[in-house]
Amino acid sequence: EPMRVLFADRFPEQQLAQLREHGCECELRPELAGDELAGALAGFDVLVVRSTTVTAAALECSDLRLVVRAGAGTNTIDLAAASNRGIYVCNVPGKNAIAVAELAFGLLVAIDRNIPDNVSDLRDGRWDKARYQRASGLRGRQVGVVGLGAIGLAFAERVSAFGMTVHMVDRTRSDETQARLDALGAVAHADLETLAATCDVLSFHVPAVSETRHLLDAELLAEIRPGTIILNTSRGEIVDEEALLAVIDEKELRVGLDVYANE
């Protein structure tokens, strides 16, 4: 009997065709979410999602054997409910690492060169060359990378290639990761507070777990130097957004966010 797979997010047609060649019955329904998802799971063996939230209520309405998060984190899936029903949950860490690292780097360049404001002004018919030709530049910057999994490491290698110094929190890592960091000449610090006080760019690449909720809070923001560039391409929950808004103007922080707490 063929395995029935439901995709509740966008998925490339070419890869769907490959799965069908392997004998899977695949249904692509990227619009499914919430109660609609719960009502659509009957009869499927596998559910594949990217951003779609998978709740306990949805899992209880299913005969699923496996939920696949087509990305790094599994925080959008009710893991306890899946475990209680004997449903396996897996992810594919590292598969989009380069894409996210490039996005984070793109945010860094865009902030330094004021690209979004420049484009916005030009579309409104304003050409302020005097303002937008000014930039601090990236070469020589001190960049703190918080979280050195596949994405953080890929980002660190890219900032190093642009002549910036990589900084990190000192901790035990795999031999391979440590060797890659050593090759970059990465500078280790005792803790996150020391790292934040040392760097003029701080980029977050951590999973959403209880320990990282509001990792960037008022206390850590107090250590961050005025004018620091803050990047978050991991999960919105790691930033205390109210605390950030309270100091963003006072400390002249520039912030590049790809994720938000309530998105």
Side-chain angles (χ1 to χ4, degrees), residues 46-50 66-77 79 88-96 150-151 207-209 235:
V46 180
L47 171 65
V48 181
V49 293
R50 268 194 58 76
L66 173 67
V67 178
V68 180
R69 163 72 165 87
T74 55
N75 59 297
T76 51
I77 300 164
L79 299 179
Y88 289 98
V89 176
C90 70
N91 59 351
V92 285
K95 289 295 182 183
N96 64 344
I151 296 170
V209 293
R235 292 292 184 268

Side-chain angles (χ1 to χ4, degrees), residues 26-237:
C26 300
E27 188 169 325
L28 182 63
R29 296 193 59 189
E31 79 286 354
L32 288 175
D35 293 340
E36 286 185 355
L37 177 63
L41 291 176
F44 285 97
D45 304 296
V46 180
L47 171 65
V48 181
V49 293
R50 268 194 58 76
S51 302
T52 301
T53 299
V54 184
T55 63
L59 293 170
E60 284 167 10
C61 299
S62 78
D63 303 309
L64 291 171
R65 290 185 279 164
L66 173 67
V67 178
V68 180
R69 163 72 165 87
T74 55
N75 59 297
T76 51
I77 300 164
D78 192 321
L79 299 179
S83 180
N84 288 340
R85 292 186 61 81
I87 301 169
Y88 289 98
V89 176
C90 70
N91 59 351
V92 285
K95 289 295 182 183
N96 64 344
I98 300 300
V100 179
E102 289 177 351
L103 171 62
F105 196 86
L107 291 173
L108 177 57
V109 175
I111 288 171
D112 180 65
R113 302 297 317 191
N114 288 307
I115 291 172
D117 292 349
N118 188 352
V119 171
S120 178
D121 274 359
L122 186 58
R123 285 177 176 168
D124 286 338
R126 293 187 296 272
W127 175 241
D128 192 347
K129 184 175 180 180
R131 177 185 174 190
Y132 293 119
Q133 69 183 4
R134 294 193 301 270
S136 299
L138 298 180
R139 188 169 180 268
R141 290 289 190 98
Q142 310 302 309
V143 183
V145 184
V146 184
L148 282 158
I151 296 170
L153 200 51
F155 176 72
E157 289 174 336
R158 279 151 183 76
V159 301
S160 178
F162 268 62
M164 293 175 268
T165 302
V166 175
H167 295 255
M168 62 184 180
V169 175
D170 193 12
R171 52 163 289 191
T172 303
R173 296 186 168 88
S174 71
D175 290 345
E176 181 194 351
T177 297
Q178 193 58 53
R180 288 169 69 178
L181 290 167
D182 289 344
L184 301 179
V187 180
H189 296 269
D191 51 45
L192 184 54
E193 289 72 25
T194 310
L195 178 76
T198 305
C199 296
D200 45 24
V201 178
L202 205 56
S203 189
F204 289 87
H205 304 277
V206 294
V209 293
S210 57
E211 294 81 11
T212 59
R213 177 173 168 76
H214 287 184
L215 185 64
L216 181 61
D217 58 8
E219 200 174 323
L220 185 60
L221 284 161
E223 302 295 329
I224 287 175
R225 302 196 297 197
T228 293
I229 294 173
I230 298 171
L231 307 173
N232 181 22
T233 51
S234 56
R235 292 292 184 268
E237 303 95 295

